[in-house]
Amino acid sequence: MTTVAPTIETEPASADSNWLAWLDRWCERVGDAINPILVKETRQSLKSRQFVVTFSMILFAALAWTIAGSLSLMPQIYTTPSAPRMMIGYYAVLALPMMMVVPLAAYRSLESEIDDGTLELLSITTLSPWQIVMGKLASASLQMLLYFVTLFPCLAYAYSLRGVDLPTTLLVVASLAVTGLLLTVIGLFFAPLARGRSGRVATMLVLIFLLVLAEYGISSMVVGMILYGNPLSPPELLFTVLATLALAAALGHLLLTATAAQLTPETENRSTSLRLSLLVLTTICVATMVAGLLVLGNRAIPVYIGGLVVIAGLWTFCGALMVGERSTITPRIRRELPSSFLARLFLTWLTPGPTTGLVFAITGITILASMQYASMDWVMRAADVSGAMRRQFQRVVGLPAVLFSAYLICFLVAVRAVMFVVRLRNNPRVEVGVAALVVVAVMAALVPYSMQLHYNDYQPLTYDPIWQVTNWVFTMGTAVDRGLPAGVTERIVGAAVCLSLLSCFAAWQTTRPRRIATPRRVQEELRRR
């Protein structure tokens, strides 16, 4: 007698199970990418004396202020709103570790990795510089989260005393979180900048100054908001929150990218990601200016002018760094170069090198200056100002912006030539490009002014376009004060255009096919990773 084993029918997997399986695989990949450095940093930070002392002091300070603040408000605490005073005390307890202790701890953590040589051991593993930097940031974020969780009941207690509404309380918490994360990113950015002991002391002092300045500014804003309420209307508040989050995220990404680039060996491509991040931050700045004009109207003029100053400073600093890069391209970088004609035409300027960096900076500055000059009438209409105000705004803001862009292009071309001569016998860091730009700008203003002053027997000078055409300070000051003589602006812009065309023609060899094939051994190693 034969027995037939019962068969078990399996039901097809449902869509929910497939989705959960995909989520599980995704979480596993993310965990494998983050966990090694995050676990290491979390164990070190939570066992460190700094965290134990800071956490204990926060607990003690919160308990002490709860008792002392509540007793000082007696017996009015039962009948009158008492939340502002209590919340200011809790904010002071939370702001110190969030905006001072955690950024400094992140700075010291990454700096100690470099000093002790641990970073070199990590570089030979499969961990990328981005994973190392993000692990440091995640560890600092975890500490901030613990501080928030510790003081959350205290903030809830202060809110229950009446006198501060819920949106203001959420803004206080959000401002602390965003500021703390951004300052931590700045601390990580400063850690690999200096190589010698004296340079590290200088970067530490600069970082402490920035942290103290940021804490003073944010604390003044938060205390005023707690005491006097939020002065912004709902549209203005929404614009401020969204613009702050977008700008903080873009600036944080640029600084993290720069930090990872400093930890990346020189044989790899460190420029493309930085230039893309710079484009993203510039786009968000321009979008913020446009949105501010649409939402705020004439109250957006400070936002517009502040955006112009930020963009000008950003592209000045980054342009000097780009023209100060090394011109040598390693085989590893050449494997990643664009190969097709269109890719070489549009993507070559994102690849490393001072020539591509110069063309990239000139193109970006030209596009931004053209957009600013062409949009002046629209800005005036959006701000709803009179005709006289339009002409004054054009003279005070529009013309100096065009002159600044033209002078900056000319100075970047000069810096490129200076760095080319310097690199014939030396191999300086890219930061030397910033110093060279400062020297070129100072000499371009000081030399003609000194010569005309000596020729005029040291008498008070009036603007002479023949002598002072390269003096950007005198020229822009005269343009703002009473306007320039006829033809001066055209000559300066024409010189910038000619130098830009010469730079583009001199860079024609960079668009030639230079990509090389990836060796089979390297392909096998990449597949194993």
Side-chain angles (χ1 to χ4, degrees), residues 353-422:
T355 304
T356 58
L358 178 61
V359 176
F360 177 80
I362 289 175
T363 305
I365 294 169
T366 303
I367 292 175
L368 291 172
S370 302
M371 291 173 56
Q372 188 272 337
Y373 189 80
S375 63
M376 287 298 297
D377 291 337
W378 178 80
V379 170
M380 293 296 99
R381 288 195 301 270
D384 193 16
V385 299
S386 60
M389 185 67 180
R390 291 186 183 184
R391 290 189 294 271
Q392 183 179 2
F393 192 81
Q394 174 70 27
R395 179 170 57 85
V396 174
V397 178
L399 183 57
V402 174
L403 292 174
F404 178 84
S405 303
Y407 277 119
L408 180 58
I409 290 175
C410 297
F411 293 161
L412 288 178
V413 175
V415 171
R416 170 70 183 98
V418 170
M419 294 301 297
F420 175 78
V421 175
V422 170

Side-chain angles (χ1 to χ4, degrees), residues 430-501:
V430 293
E431 291 86 347
V432 178
V434 180
L437 179 62
V438 173
V439 172
V440 169
V442 170
M443 297 302 293
L446 189 60
V447 170
Y449 188 83
S450 302
M451 293 176 62
Q452 187 183 2
L453 189 65
H454 177 74
Y455 182 77
N456 201 36
D457 293 331
Y458 299 96
Q459 299 297 318
L461 297 180
T462 57
Y463 184 79
D464 188 350
I466 298 178
W467 284 94
Q468 306 297 331
V469 67
T470 63
N471 189 343
W472 56 279
V473 179
F474 205 172
T475 302
M476 294 175 62
T478 305
V480 172
D481 186 22
R482 58 181 181 273
L484 293 174
V488 176
T489 304
E490 289 77 7
R491 276 185 283 176
I492 297 173
V493 175
V497 171
C498 292
L499 290 176
S500 301
L501 293 176

